[in-house]
Amino acid sequence: MTVTEEMRNQWRITVDYTNMTDKYLGPLGISKEALEEVRPLAVKAYNYVKANRGKDGLFMGWTELPYNQREIVADILETAKGIRKKFEYFVVLGIGGSALGPAMAFSALCHLHYNDLPRSKRRGPKFYVEDNVDPVRMKELLDVIDLKRTCFNVISKSGATSETMTQFLIVSDLLKKAGEDVKDHVVFTTDASRGNLVKISRELGGVKSFVLGDGVGGRFSELSPVGLLPAAVLGIDIKMMLKGAAYMDKLCKTHDCKKNPALVSAVLQYIAMKRGKNIGVMMPYSDNLRYVADWYAQLWAESLGKNITRTGQMCNVGQTPVKALGVTDQHSQVQLYTEGPYDKVITFLSVGSYKEKTPIPHGYVDIPDVNFLGGHTMEELIQAENKATAYALTRAGRLNYTVNVPVINAFTLGELLYYFELQTAYAGAMLDIDTYNQPGVEAGKKATFALLGKPGYEEQRKQLDGAAPDPAYIV
Ligand code: PA5
C-alpha cells in the first residue's frame, strides 16, 4: 500500500511534554534554562548517533533496518505464506530480545483473543511466544499444540542461550520420537556464521534460516527477521512496519530538540535521571500496547544500566523501568505515583482513536453514579481517565509526558519502535556509556553454564559452590 502524505500526517506519533515543564509543575518541573544547559550534550549525542549509523562494529546496524531488507522481506513473506498454509501452530522459542518484540507485535496488532478465534477468523496459525524455561509452562504448551502441525521459530543470535537451546532440544527430541523430520518443523533466526544454530542446521540437512545481522543486537532486532517473520506469519503488514520506522527516522533527522521527538524524550529523561528520578514508568492506555512496556523495559534497562563509561570511569547509571497498564493500574499503583517518593517519570502511551468505540448504554436513571456513564463510549471513558490521571499527577508535581499514538496499526507500531530505539541510543550517548553491550546478562549466562557443568566453567563452578547459602541466615 502506498502511504500518502495525508496518511503520514494522520498517523504521526507526537510527544507532549507539557507536564514535564516548570510552567506546569513549578520548581519540580524542567525549565527552559535546564533544557538549554544540556543542549550541547544533546547535540553531541545526536551527532554521535548520526555519524555511527549502520556501523556493525558498534552494533548500530539497527538504524538501517527500515531500508536494507528488500530481499529479506520478500523471502520472509514467501516463507510466512508457506507456514500459514502448512501449520496450525507457530511457536517462537527465544528469550529477551529474541522474544519480547514478537510478543509485543502480536499483542499490538492482532485480536486480543487471537488464539481463541476459529481458524476462519485468524489470519495465521495459533501463536505462542515461549520465553521461559519454567518446566510447567513447557509441558502445558505441549498439552495444547499438536507437534505434527507446529512450526517452531528458534530465535537466538548466539545459539548458545541455555533457555532457548533447552527448548529446542526438547521439541526436536519429541519431533524425532513422533517420526517427524525436525528440519520440516523449524525455522532458525540466528547469526550468519558464529551461532550454533548454523552448525545444527547443517547437521539437520539445511534448516530454513534467517540471518540476524552482525550489527544488530537482540533488543534492537524487532525490525529484523527476529520480529518480521513472526509478524508476517500473523498476517501483519511488515512493509508498513518498516515504512513507519523510516518515517520516524525522518522526523528525527534534526538536532533541534524542539523538532526531534526521540531527542527531546532522551533529554527529558536524562535531566530526570540526573535529578534522581531513577524509576521510569511506562503506562499504555491500551491493552494492545501493554507489551510495548515489556519490550521497552528490556531496551531501556539493558541498554542504559551500566557501571562504566566509554572512557572507563565508574558510573552506575540507568533508570528502572516499571510496567503499568492504564486504566487497570490506576486502581493499584497510581496512588504511589501521585503521593509516594518523587523518584519517577511517567510515560503515558495514549491512543487517539481505538479500533472499537463500544457505546455505553443508558440505564438506571435513578442511580446517578451509574446513569451518567450512559450515552458515552468506552473510548471516551478510557481517554478521559488517561487525561484525568495525567492531570492528577501534574497537580501533585509529578513529572509525566505523553506519547500520542493516533491509531494502532503496523505503520504506527513501526514508528513507535524506532522512536524508542532512537531515544535509547541518544540517552546512552548522553550518559556516555556503551548502549549495546550487556555484561550483566552475560555474567548470569556464564554462571548457569558453570552450575550445569558446561566444560570450561569449572573454576566458576568452584566459586559458585563456595557461595552457597549460609545456614546461619536461613530462618
Ligand atoms: O538484548 C540482548 O542482547 C539479549 O536480551 C538477548 O536477546 C538474549 O540474551 C538472548 O540472546 P540470544 O539471542 O543470543 O539467544
Side-chain angles (χ1 to χ4, degrees):
M1 195 212 288
T2 314
V3 182
T4 62
E5 196 54 38
E6 196 189 341
M7 286 153 98
R8 270 196 287 271
N9 289 336
Q10 271 173 15
W11 292 343
R12 178 174 176 163
I13 284 176
T14 56
V15 177
D16 174 356
Y17 64 99
T18 308
N19 298 340
M20 296 288 281
T21 64
D22 62 345
K23 190 167 169 198
Y24 293 88
L25 285 183
L28 294 164
I30 296 172
S31 64
K32 279 189 186 140
E33 294 71 32
L35 283 171
E36 197 48 39
E37 208 179 300
V38 296
R39 203 166 65 88
L41 189 59
V43 172
K44 199 171 155 201
Y46 172 85
N47 286 333
Y48 174 83
V49 173
K50 185 177 169 200
N52 292 303
R53 285 182 68 103
K55 287 196 181 157
D56 284 352
L58 291 174
F59 274 93
M60 287 192 58
W62 62 270
T63 59
E64 304 314 297
L65 292 173
Y67 312 106
N68 62 9
Q69 298 191 93
R70 187 186 285 261
E71 282 167 26
I72 296 168
V73 165
D75 189 6
I76 286 174
L77 290 173
E78 201 49 40
T79 307
K81 202 166 139 195
I83 291 171
R84 278 204 301 272
K85 224 185 251 167
K86 191 168 160 203
F87 294 104
E88 262 308 302
Y89 306 90
F90 185 83
V91 180
V92 170
L93 303 180
I95 196 163
S98 299
L100 289 159
M104 173 206 39
F106 171 51
S107 142
L109 299 175
C110 293
H111 191 287
L112 289 170
H113 297 283
Y114 174 90
N115 282 345
D116 297 328
L117 292 172
R119 184 67 178 93
S120 56
K121 292 201 169 157
R122 275 186 275 119
R123 284 174 293 177
K126 287 193 180 185
F127 186 82
Y128 301 89
V129 179
E130 296 302 307
D131 63 350
N132 203 354
V133 282
D134 181 331
V136 177
R137 180 157 161 194
M138 189 75 208
K139 160 74 177 63
E140 295 187 355
L141 168 77
L142 295 167
D143 287 344
V144 297
I145 61 172
D146 174 356
L147 271 185
K148 295 194 174 199
R149 292 187 294 150
T150 303
C151 176
F152 295 94
N153 185 193
V154 186
I155 309 181
S156 177
K157 189 174 171 73
S158 61
T161 302
S162 304
E163 295 87 345
T164 308
M165 298 320 289
T166 296
Q167 294 169 329
F168 173 67
L169 283 169
I170 291 171
V171 299
S172 49
D173 182 56
L174 289 171
L175 283 165
K176 278 183 211 154
K177 284 180 177 150
E180 297 289 306
D181 189 344
V182 176
K183 82 167 182 320
D184 294 342
H185 287 267
V186 291
V187 178
F188 290 163
T189 307
T190 192
D191 193 87
S193 52
R194 282 175 292 160
N196 294 316
L197 287 174
V198 177
K199 290 184 212 147
I200 294 173
S201 165
R202 248 181 260 130
E203 248 176 63
L204 291 174
V207 169
K208 175 69 194 167
S209 301
F210 288 95
V211 166
L212 176 52
D214 274 350
V216 182
R219 56 191 176 274
F220 286 84
S221 67
E222 174 51 16
L223 295 168
S224 79
V226 167
L228 296 183
L229 176 66
V233 168
L234 289 163
I236 292 168
D237 188 341
I238 59 172
K239 288 187 182 168
M240 272 301 206
M241 277 175 79
L242 294 170
K243 282 181 188 170
Y247 181 52
M248 179 51 70
D249 188 23
K250 187 174 161 207
L251 293 175
C252 295
K253 280 199 190 305
T254 167
H255 61 67
D256 181 351
C257 271
K258 287 203 182 113
K259 295 189 181 139
N260 179 335
L263 189 58
V264 78
S265 308
V267 164
L268 294 166
Q269 291 282 15
Y270 175 83
I271 295 173
M273 282 187 253
K274 290 286 167 195
R275 292 185 184 180
K277 313 294 179 211
N278 293 324
I279 298 174
V281 177
M282 177 168 290
M283 195 161 181
Y285 270 73
S286 154
D287 277 77
N288 284 116
L289 296 183
R290 78 183 293 171
Y291 289 107
V292 172
D294 287 64
W295 169 83
Y296 171 80
Q298 187 211 14
L299 181 71
W300 197 240
E302 224 170 83
S303 300
L304 302 188
K306 300 291 155 68
N307 66 5
I308 200 158
T309 66
R310 281 182 294 183
T311 49
Q313 310 297 310
M314 287 294 289
C315 61
N316 299 108
V317 293
Q319 189 188 51
T320 305
V322 170
K323 302 168 273 181
L325 177 66
V327 306
T328 309
D329 285 311
Q330 282 178 207
H331 298 266
S332 94
Q333 299 181 35
V334 166
Q335 170 62 32
L336 171 76
Y337 302 165
T338 314
E339 294 190 356
Y342 286 87
D343 56 359
K344 301 173 194 65
V345 180
I346 290 100
T347 306
F348 293 110
L349 298 188
S350 302
V351 178
S353 174
Y354 292 75
K355 70 179 176 203
E356 301 296 339
K357 311 296 171 201
T358 312
I360 308 172
H362 288 283
Y364 306 100
V365 282
D366 49 341
I367 310 176
D369 286 351
V370 176
N371 180 51
F372 81 99
L373 295 165
H376 292 288
T377 63
M378 286 185 83
E379 179 185 74
E380 281 175 340
L381 179 60
I382 194 169
Q383 288 173 335
E385 294 204 37
N386 186 171
K387 212 175 271 172
T389 304
Y391 169 80
L393 285 168
T394 307
R395 287 287 299 261
R398 310 301 164 135
L399 293 171
N400 68 91
Y401 67 102
T402 296
V403 179
N404 288 304
V405 182
V407 61
I408 302 170
N409 61 27
F411 186 90
T412 56
L413 189 70
E415 275 186 89
L416 198 60
L417 302 190
Y418 205 85
Y419 154 74
F420 283 126
E421 288 176 349
L422 265 180
Q423 174 196 311
T424 305
Y426 294 142
M430 291 182 77
L431 291 167
D432 192 27
I433 43 108
D434 183 342
T435 311
Y436 304 100
N437 67 0
Q438 54 280 325
V441 179
E442 307 300 336
K445 283 188 181 183
K446 286 177 188 151
T448 306
F449 295 158
L451 285 170
L452 291 186
K454 183 172 172 178
Y457 291 84
E458 294 75 12
E459 200 44 49
Q460 191 159 7
R461 173 65 191 254
K462 275 189 216 150
Q463 286 168 21
L464 278 158
D465 287 345
D470 185 337
Y473 299 106
I474 300 176
V475 183

